[in-house]
């Protein structure tokens, strides 16, 4: 079964990682380098186990566009969005034996180094292969 592990962040997190002044945790260049090294190692471990399908980090929310419609009228809005603090920061698609194993993989992200004040979490969701997989 395939699962998506989704990691979240905010524009403030992205700003802090590049050294911009924020009201949140301060990321040093060493913190940022350690995080990058961890993420590369994490991906290599999953690749070696044969469980990694794909992984990507996403650009900062400031580089986002939201496309939708309101009352049948299409709209496009540039990010970031005042109505949401946290946004998808990156993802891993894994193929493994069970939901528990996917959760164990996601829990490994807690080893990622960074400033102590950083609160990080990830969601784990099964990927549906088709409508028949949809549980109501």
């Amino acid at each position: 079964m395939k699962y998506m592990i989704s990691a979240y962040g905010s524009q403030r997190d992205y700003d802090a990682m590049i050294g911009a002044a924020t009201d949140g945790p301060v990321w040093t260049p060493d913190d940022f380098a350690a995080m990058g090294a961890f993420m590369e190692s994490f991906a290599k471990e999953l690749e070696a186990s044969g469980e990694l399908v794909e992984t990507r980090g996403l650009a900062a929310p400031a580089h986002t566009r939201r496309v939708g419609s309101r009352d049948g009228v299409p709209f496009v809005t540039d990010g970031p969005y005042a109505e949401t603090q946290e946004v998808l920061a990156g993802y891993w698609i894994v193929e493994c034996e069970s939901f528990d194993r996917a959760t164990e993989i996601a829990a490994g992200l807690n080893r990622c180094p960074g400033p102590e004040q950083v609160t990080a979490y990830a969601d784990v969701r099964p990927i549906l292969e088709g409508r028949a997989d949809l549980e109501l």
Side-chain angles (χ1 to χ4, degrees):
M1 177 96 186
K2 290 181 184 168
Y3 300 87
M4 177 180 229
I5 300 169
S6 308
Y8 295 86
S10 68
Q11 184 65 48
R12 183 180 72 186
D13 296 326
Y14 281 88
D15 291 343
M17 285 189 275
I18 62 168
T22 70
D23 61 349
V26 175
W27 284 75
T28 66
D30 288 343
D31 290 333
F32 189 65
M35 181 192 68
F38 171 84
M39 291 300 181
E40 287 177 21
S41 174
F42 188 77
K44 285 181 182 175
E45 288 175 22
L46 289 173
E47 206 169 26
S49 73
E51 295 170 306
L52 181 64
V53 175
E54 180 179 0
T55 184
R56 294 281 189 264
L58 301 175
H63 303 290
T64 302
R65 287 190 179 143
R66 177 165 287 164
V67 179
S69 69
R70 193 173 292 121
D71 298 323
V73 178
F75 67 85
V76 177
T77 309
D78 289 335
Y81 311 105
E83 64 270 13
T84 183
Q85 279 291 329
E86 295 172 339
V87 296
L88 184 63
Y91 67 90
W92 296 259
I93 304 293
V94 297
E95 187 165 9
C96 54
E97 67 208 29
S98 67
F99 205 173
D100 288 340
R101 173 62 185 143
T103 302
E104 180 183 326
I105 291 168
L109 291 168
N110 290 325
R111 297 189 320 262
C112 185
E116 278 187 35
Q117 307 88 345
V118 171
T119 300
Y121 64 92
D123 290 338
V124 180
R125 292 176 69 180
I127 295 175
L128 304 176
E129 297 295 329
R131 288 186 306 180
D133 292 340
L134 190 59
E135 293 181 22
L136 299 177

